[in-house]
Amino acid sequence: AQKVTQAQTEISVVEKEDVTLDCVYETRDTTYYLFWYKQPPSGELVFLIRRNSFDEQNEISGRYSWNFQKSTSSFNFTITASQVVDSAVYFCALSKGTGGSYIPTFGRGTSLIVHP
Amino acid sequence: DAGVTQSPTHLIKTRGQHVTLRCSPISGHKSVSWYQQVLGQGPQFIFQYYEKEERGRGNFPDRFSARQFPNYSSELNVNALLLGDSALYLCASSLVQSPNTEAFFGQGTRLTVV
């Protein structure tokens, strides 16, 4: 069975602070995909990144960066110099990579509040 | 290009009633998935359809059903509504059925059962 744990329920920071959102996953599959989504108050989930289990390279996209470590089954997300517009709920998700339907498992989400 | 559109945006139903939620995928997308998101939780997978066939089903009772039409739009039906069915229902579309393909989400239908 797959499981995604986002232990931080809510994080509150002041604008320009760096913030890291934690994600720990469990799976027996050797091939899998990890995702991060952002959910603003409007409700739709916005795709941020996808990483497959064979690619442990960290990725940076502007103020966003992701740290994937298979040894600790973690896929953490860092926002550098946070802005008020970053306020949202962020979800980490896991999907198997081969065979059958690709049913994703989502974590419970971390609510990020960035104060001006 | 229009994104994923869902209708209605909000809905209030009484226990025991039936509800139909609709989703129009992005043009050219053949895969549609449905999720239930209870307040304070992550989305829970309900169904996935690809090329009009059910390709995946989550752990939901038979009161939940869905279908995909020839134009790839989809309906989610819930019978005998319970208070616990109150949630945001999200639809996602993707080009194909693959985790290596980005899924685009609609803004959801907020269902309240009273």
Side-chain angles (χ1 to χ4, degrees), chain B residues 5-60:
Chain B
T5 57
Q6 293 186 242
S7 62
T9 54
H10 295 82
L11 200 53
I12 300 176
K13 289 285 191 178
T14 305
R15 272 183 302 175
Q17 285 188 316
H18 162 271
V19 68
T20 297
L21 310 181
R22 295 178 175 83
C23 172
S24 293
I26 291 172
S27 178
H29 285 196
K30 299 181 178 180
S31 179
V32 170
S33 298
W34 286 95
Y35 297 83
Q36 180 195 65
Q37 186 178 14
V38 173
L39 194 64
Q41 306 273 340
Q44 295 285 316
F45 172 80
I46 310 176
F47 286 107
Q48 182 180 60
Y49 277 78
Y50 178 64
E51 287 283 16
K52 293 152 282 183
E53 289 186 6
E54 182 182 306
R55 297 299 184 97
R57 185 182 189 111
N59 188 24
F60 280 81

Side-chain angles (χ1 to χ4, degrees), chain A residues 39 44 50 91 101-102 104 108, chain B residues 35 37 41-42 55 99 106:
Chain A
Q39 187 175 42
E44 80 279 15
R50 173 182 57 247
F91 291 96
S101 67
Y102 306 108
R108 295 183 64 159
Chain B
Y35 297 83
Q37 186 178 14
Q41 306 273 340
R55 297 299 184 97

Side-chain angles (χ1 to χ4, degrees), chain B residues 13-19 36 61 63-64 78-87 89 111-114:
Chain B
K13 289 285 191 178
T14 305
R15 272 183 302 175
Q17 285 188 316
H18 162 271
V19 68
Q36 180 195 65
R63 299 185 295 106
F64 289 76
V78 186
N79 291 323
L81 285 167
L82 303 174
L83 295 179
D85 296 330
S86 296
Y89 289 84
L111 172 65
T112 302
V113 182
V114 297

Side-chain angles (χ1 to χ4, degrees), chain A residues 44-57:
Chain A
E44 80 279 15
L45 287 168
V46 177
F47 169 86
L48 296 177
I49 190 172
R50 173 182 57 247
R51 174 68 76 225
N52 74 52
S53 51
F54 297 108
D55 183 2
E56 287 192 73
Q57 270 196 339

Side-chain angles (χ1 to χ4, degrees), chain A residues 33 35 37 39 42-45 47 50 91 95-97 100-104 106-109, chain B residues 35 37 40-43 45 48 55-57 88 90 97-103 105-107:
Chain A
Y33 288 83
F35 305 80
Y37 287 89
Q39 187 175 42
S42 53
E44 80 279 15
L45 287 168
F47 169 86
R50 173 182 57 247
F91 291 96
S95 176
K96 63 188 299 184
S101 67
Y102 306 108
I103 299 175
F106 284 80
R108 295 183 64 159
Chain B
Y35 297 83
Q37 186 178 14
Q41 306 273 340
F45 172 80
Q48 182 180 60
R55 297 299 184 97
R57 185 182 189 111
L88 178 68
L90 294 164
Q97 180 201 0
S98 167
N100 200 27
T101 303
E102 183 177 343
F105 283 79
Q107 292 191 336

